[in-house]
Amino acid sequence: MSDVRVHNFTISLDGFATGAGQAPDAPFGHAGERLHEWMFATRFWHQMRGGRGGSVGADNAFAAMHGPGIGAEIMGAGKFGPPGWQDDPGYKGAWGANPPFHTPVFVLTHRPRPSVEMEGGTTFHFLDASPAEALSQARAAAGGRDVRLGGGPSVIRDFLTEGLVDHMHVVQVPILLGRGVRLWDGLESLEEAYQIEAVSTPSGVTHLTFTAKNR
Amino acid sequence: MSDVRVHNFTISLDGFATGAGQAPDAPFGHAGERLHEWMFATRFWHQMRGGRGGSVGADNAFAAMHGPGIGAEIMGAGKFGPPGWQDDPGYKGAWGANPPFHTPVFVLTHRPRPSVEMEGGTTFHFLDASPAEALSQARAAAGGRDVRLGGGPSVIRDFLTEGLVDHMHVVQVPILLGRGVRLWDGLESLEEAYQIEAVSTPSGVTHLTFTAKNR
């Protein structure tokens, strides 16, 4: 069976994946872009934006694992758009006409709407479903390839709690956000189900990989 | 002026320095000894217990910085003993007749008592004082050497909040405790005052060092 994978999911030293005060011009709230500067410096990111250059060290090697082998993504409503996007029937996500997914994307929301086909192979589907139900649909759409779990933190927590994550890459950035949404809440003893590896890189971040022991 | 240093202060991946349910036979609550297994494996620890052997890699190099140059320690009441030790007038700490400090130790408590001289150079003094006041007394007793801040987490947080920590070594262990006492609460933007370095070691832990920018 295909794997469920989390990639490039970034948290502060105090465990926040999102700051407080999310808004259209501040998708990560008061965190701004500080959580993702490590990724913006990589060749993976430069190329995804159509540019050249960027680092090719360990940060890039991890970042570039985001795409290969993925056939669908599942994301929470909070990643798809800022609070209130459900009230705008024409809203099509935070990424413009050609989103960087290029696969079916399943958006978990209590207010589903018709699917939207974008440029570049991304189609947004909207589901009011449990993690297991959403995964079942995403797997069917992924055509045998893996399903990426795109976040945010509460969605990843829900899937972890149900034992549905096979591989998780978390990046810890040495800043303290103090407030926002934590990744780790309610996950006591998670390490029992995973082999965990840690590596710090010259940019100052620490990459943590979780590999499910039952896979 | 001498430095205030924190060494070998260990937290879980979700930021807990102590588990829930501290008791005489469980000083770290439900965490048990899991937070400190990395240290028990080092030569530093083996030698401190009068034994031989132990690892001599990066974990040991960090651990061994605990002693040199230190002239006094400040610790919280929760490190000195389990909840309720203040009700036992004969209680002399959790370390037996020859505690591993070998310097004056200032115990912060709202119920001070007379000082107690132990074997091996350790004397426990009991203070009901602010961080700055306690530091002033500890510095005077340290004879020009550095003051180690021994924890627990709320004491370290109090000193960090007042900008009184010059050097801090935090060890992050890849376990999720889920409950207990967090180190990082209320320390938003702490990184602005410190140069932070991270290194993961083969034992699986990540050492984070904080060096005050103003020193």
Side-chain angles (χ1 to χ4, degrees), chain B residues 104-121:
Chain B
V105 173
F106 294 84
V107 180
L108 298 172
T109 170
H110 296 302
R111 294 168 61 186
R113 58 172 66 186
S115 299
V116 180
E117 195 174 334
M118 309 292 289
E119 293 172 23

Side-chain angles (χ1 to χ4, degrees), chain A residues 13-14 30 34 172 174-179 182 184-185 187-191 196 198-200 204 206 208 210, chain B residues 13-14 30 34 172 174-179 182 184-185 187-191 196 198-200 204 206 208 210:
Chain A
L13 199 48
D14 47 352
H30 81 294
R34 289 178 291 160
Q172 189 178 62
I175 62 173
L176 284 109
L177 289 176
R179 53 215 160 93
R182 292 186 202 272
W184 298 126
D185 279 359
L187 293 175
E188 181 178 340
S189 301
L190 182 70
E191 75 277 4
I196 305 176
V199 64
S200 307
T206 300
L208 295 149
F210 293 67
Chain B
L13 199 49
D14 47 352
H30 81 293
R34 289 178 292 160
Q172 187 177 268
I175 62 173
L176 284 110
L177 288 176
R179 54 215 159 92
R182 292 185 201 274
W184 298 126
D185 279 0
L187 294 174
E188 181 178 341
S189 300
L190 182 70
E191 74 278 3
I196 305 175
V199 64
S200 307
T206 300
L208 294 149
F210 292 68

Side-chain angles (χ1 to χ4, degrees), chain B residues 41-55:
Chain B
T42 64
R43 178 157 299 187
F44 160 78
W45 188 262
H46 284 228
Q47 288 183 342
M48 196 173 67
R49 307 292 289 258
R52 296 170 55 83
S55 70

Side-chain angles (χ1 to χ4, degrees), chain B residues 92 105-106 112-118 122-127 137:
Chain B
K92 293 182 177 177
V105 173
F106 294 84
R113 58 172 66 186
S115 299
V116 180
E117 195 174 334
M118 309 292 289
T122 299
T123 302
F124 291 117
H125 303 286
F126 301 86
L127 296 179
Q137 292 203 39

Side-chain angles (χ1 to χ4, degrees), chain A:
Chain A
M1 196 156 63
S2 67
D3 279 347
V4 176
R5 295 159 40 188
V6 175
H7 288 281
N8 302 338
F9 194 76
T10 306
I11 59 175
S12 62
L13 199 48
D14 47 352
F16 294 100
T18 301
Q22 287 178 276
D25 61 345
F28 289 90
H30 81 294
E33 298 198 326
R34 289 178 291 160
L35 286 173
H36 300 101
E37 282 164 3
W38 72 271
M39 192 166 59
F40 301 153
T42 63
R43 178 158 299 187
F44 160 78
W45 188 263
H46 284 227
Q47 288 183 341
M48 196 173 66
R49 305 292 289 255
R52 296 169 58 83
S55 70
V56 294
D59 288 344
N60 184 65
F62 276 111
M65 293 189 69
H66 179 265
I70 295 290
E73 167 154 332
I74 297 171
M75 68 170 65
K79 176 172 175 181
F80 187 67
W85 66 261
Q86 289 96 336
D87 296 326
D88 175 0
Y91 186 75
K92 293 182 178 178
W95 301 273
N98 186 355
F101 306 105
H102 315 298
T103 67
V105 173
F106 294 84
V107 180
L108 297 172
T109 170
H110 296 303
R111 294 168 61 186
R113 57 172 66 186
S115 299
V116 179
E117 194 174 335
M118 309 291 288
E119 293 171 24
T122 299
T123 302
F124 291 118
H125 303 286
F126 301 87
L127 295 180
D128 185 7
S130 72
E133 290 164 355
L135 179 54
S136 173
Q137 292 203 39
R139 274 215 166 100
R145 289 188 291 165
D146 291 341
V147 174
R148 185 176 50 233
L149 193 57
S154 53
V155 170
I156 292 179
R157 245 189 277 128
D158 289 346
F159 278 70
L160 285 170
T161 301
E162 302 204 13
L164 296 175
V165 177
D166 300 297
H167 170 104
M168 179 166 69
H169 167 229
V170 172
V171 186
Q172 189 178 62
V173 176
I175 62 173
L176 284 109
L177 289 176
R179 53 215 160 93
V181 184
R182 292 186 202 272
L183 173 59
W184 298 126
D185 279 359
L187 293 175
E188 181 178 340
S189 301
L190 182 70
E191 75 277 4
E192 293 176 6
Y194 292 90
Q195 184 182 328
I196 305 176
E197 201 178 309
V199 64
S200 307
T201 64
S203 70
V205 307
T206 300
H207 298 270
L208 295 149
T209 51
F210 293 67
T211 307
K213 290 179 179 172
N214 63 359
R215 295 295 286 178

